[in-house]
Amino acid sequence: SDAMEPVVPVNFTSKMRSACFLDHRGRIVTDALLWKRPVGADNDDDIIEPPIDANKEVEYLIDVPGDAADTLLSHLKKYKLRRSRVKISDRSGDVSVHAVYGTLNAEGTPPGYVAAIDPRHPSLGMRVLSTGGDTSDEKGNNDAHEKRRLDFETMMSGYFPPSNGTYGVIRKLAGVAEGSELTGKTALECNQEFLNAVSFSKGCYLGQELTARAHHTGAIRKRVMPIIVVDVNTEIPRPWMMAHMIQEMGPDAIGPDSFLDVGDGDIPPPLPKISAPGAGGIVAMLMGSVLPLPKEDAEGEGAEQSDSSATVTATAEGSEKVAKLQKDGEILMDEVAAVAVPGAKIVDKKDGKTIGKVISAPAPGTTVILAQMRLDRVGLLGGDDQQWSRTNRILIGDGTKELRYLPYMPLWWPDIDPESGKENIEKG
């Protein structure tokens, strides 16, 4: 209707793109974000969108996770031709990286800053490079990154309050692995084609043979995905109850008049598809991170006093339940953090088989981990004999306590073809 607000498009830009570096075996060295700009550019106004003048010297800033930076630098230098004009250097001390959430506007940056919406997915926010200015403070200290961080926080404080560490939490809730978490794995198993980091139409590149073969033939049997780890006595949230029913009944048994029909004859996917904020909300509920009901003033006479007393009693009971949930949640987070270390195997107690491997420790304050999971064991690939079950029981790493896992599909995932484990082109 006329009263509806217009949809604001996400303004992606060609000055920045996601990428993935592979070795000669086709295995990932690291992912990265590439910034293209003329040498000496100070902010967005100096960035020239293609075609760039051939007479201008161009540089690429490779925005790479710190745990993989040295590995990538060695990798690039290994393949640099001796007489090449290309220069490769570490600019980590000259540039700081920030992320901003809650806006799709990455235009009009001030001098010393370059910004763009994260090309992997808008849920990862606006990416900002801080490149200029004097990095010494009033006392003469020269901690460049700390000075840039404080300057950026001061500049943005009137609009976006600082919250250090938010990027790492949101990234994991969104199901995005990066840096050394990906090292040694194949691009498609790590969803790089879904994150706009792989091209199947460009010319030759290192590792192309394995990547192209995996894309055009065979099946992808494992993928990196987020899972929520809960206690076996935890009540299963409704999205996973529905997923269990969908997988148990099968799509052929669910007709257009079924209560699971979401309209136009479409059936929900075999696993919940959840955004990062949605996943955070579910975890908060499971961990008891909610406020108790507000107390009502015990005023009035007779029946009013009786009703008020009942309300206070109910509120006290609710507060005790919340406190118990929070305590149990803290204990569970500690238990999961102790066993869900990178490389730890996830074993299904039903048959003793390994169904996944942890690639990233839990996001702070949660029990959400990133794991490379077998798609058939989460109901996304194969026949009816291997399905995800709401009554599953698993062991993680060296742990002896039985836990339960709730897998979900990130919002940016396309529909998955159950025959190939790749994007379902008919529905995508």
Side-chain angles (χ1 to χ4, degrees):
S1 66
D2 295 337
M4 293 180 63
E5 295 184 2
V7 177
V8 179
V10 179
N11 187 16
F12 289 108
T13 172
S14 56
K15 66 174 176 252
M16 178 191 183
R17 65 157 300 156
S18 51
C20 185
F21 290 89
L22 308 177
D23 62 19
H24 66 284
R25 303 171 301 155
R27 302 286 174 170
I28 294 177
V29 176
T30 182
D31 66 326
L33 299 174
L34 303 183
W35 299 77
K36 183 177 182 179
R37 66 176 192 172
V39 172
D42 189 41
N43 70 342
D44 279 346
D45 293 335
D46 297 326
I47 298 291
I48 302 175
E49 296 285 354
I52 293 179
D53 187 345
N55 295 321
K56 284 185 175 291
E57 190 175 358
V58 174
E59 67 178 359
Y60 292 86
L61 297 179
I62 305 177
D63 182 355
V64 60
D67 60 1
D70 291 340
T71 301
L72 178 61
L73 185 61
S74 299
H75 176 75
L76 293 175
K77 288 183 176 180
K78 183 191 304 183
Y79 291 97
K80 177 182 175 295
L81 297 178
R82 184 171 300 176
R83 296 187 179 183
S84 171
R85 294 177 56 193
V86 174
K87 298 178 181 179
I88 302 174
S89 60
D90 186 352
R91 298 286 300 277
S92 300
D94 304 327
V95 181
S96 298
V97 183
H98 317 276
V100 179
Y101 302 95
T103 179
L104 295 178
N105 178 20
E107 303 301 318
T109 56
Y113 295 94
V114 182
I117 299 298
D118 197 306
R120 293 171 293 181
H121 192 265
S123 64
L124 296 176
M126 175 175 66
R127 199 82 168 183
V128 182
L129 294 187
S130 174
T131 59
D134 182 10
T135 56
S136 60
D137 61 20
E138 57 186 13
K139 296 182 179 180
N141 297 321
N142 193 29
D143 187 340
H145 288 297
E146 181 65 12
K147 179 65 165 56
R148 292 195 190 97
R149 183 184 67 81
L150 293 174
D151 288 345
F152 185 73
E153 286 185 3
T154 300
M155 180 180 69
M156 302 295 289
S157 60
Y159 308 95
F160 302 94
S163 181
N164 293 322
T166 301
Y167 171 75
V169 176
I170 291 181
R171 174 180 71 81
K172 291 183 180 182
L173 292 177
V176 178
E178 67 177 19
S180 61
E181 297 168 353
L182 307 175
T183 302
K185 300 173 178 62
T186 66
L188 273 57
E189 289 178 345
C190 297
N191 312 311
Q192 293 300 295
E193 77 276 36
F194 301 160
L195 294 168
N196 305 310
V198 176
S199 172
F200 297 107
S201 59
K202 65 172 293 183
C204 297
Y205 58 87
L206 195 64
Q208 182 184 30
E209 182 179 353
L210 176 61
T211 306
R213 186 169 67 245
H215 175 66
H216 293 291
T217 64
I220 306 300
R221 303 191 178 280
K222 297 179 292 184
R223 282 193 182 273
V224 172
M225 65 189 308
I227 63 174
I228 303 174
V229 181
V230 299
D231 188 88
V232 293
N233 296 316
T234 298
E235 182 178 352
I236 304 300
R238 179 174 172 79
W240 284 273
M241 295 293 288
M242 293 183 64
H244 175 85
M245 287 188 288
I246 291 169
Q247 294 196 26
E248 189 175 54
M249 296 171 65
D252 295 337
I254 304 174
D257 296 328
S258 167
F259 71 96
L260 293 174
D261 183 12
V262 295
D264 298 326
D266 289 334
I267 302 301
L271 287 178
K273 189 174 270 192
I274 305 176
S275 65
I282 291 173
V283 172
M285 177 192 70
L286 294 173
M287 298 294 109
S289 300
V290 292
L291 294 175
L293 295 173
K295 288 187 177 181
E296 297 182 4
D297 293 333
E299 298 178 351
E301 300 290 339
E304 291 185 3
Q305 290 182 347
S306 176
D307 290 343
S308 180
S309 298
T311 300
V312 172
T313 301
T315 302
E317 291 177 353
S319 298
E320 291 177 1
K321 290 181 179 179
V322 170
K324 185 178 186 306
L325 266 178
Q326 292 175 341
K327 183 178 180 180
D328 291 345
E330 292 174 358
I331 293 174
L332 179 63
M333 283 190 287
D334 290 341
E335 291 174 341
V336 173
V339 296
V341 297
K345 294 181 179 180
I346 301 174
V347 177
D348 193 332
K349 283 285 292 182
K350 179 178 65 175
D351 55 13
K353 291 185 177 180
T354 299
I355 61 173
K357 182 179 293 186
V358 178
I359 70 165
S360 180
T366 78
T367 57
V368 176
I369 62 176
L370 297 180
Q372 190 174 40
M373 301 294 294
R374 283 177 47 179
L375 294 184
D376 60 334
R377 300 305 285 257
V378 295
L380 296 179
L381 181 71
D384 297 334
D385 55 330
Q386 300 294 346
Q387 303 166 343
W388 176 81
S389 170
R390 63 183 177 85
T391 59
N392 70 80
R393 291 172 180 263
I394 60 171
L395 295 176
I396 301 178
D398 296 330
T400 57
K401 179 178 179 178
E402 294 184 0
L403 300 166
R404 182 160 291 149
Y405 74 105
L406 308 178
Y408 63 94
M409 300 168 64
L411 199 62
W412 45 269
W413 272 33
D415 289 310
I416 302 297
D417 184 347
E419 299 298 325
S420 67
K422 304 169 189 174
E423 178 179 1
N424 190 335
I425 303 299
E426 294 182 0
K427 299 182 69 175

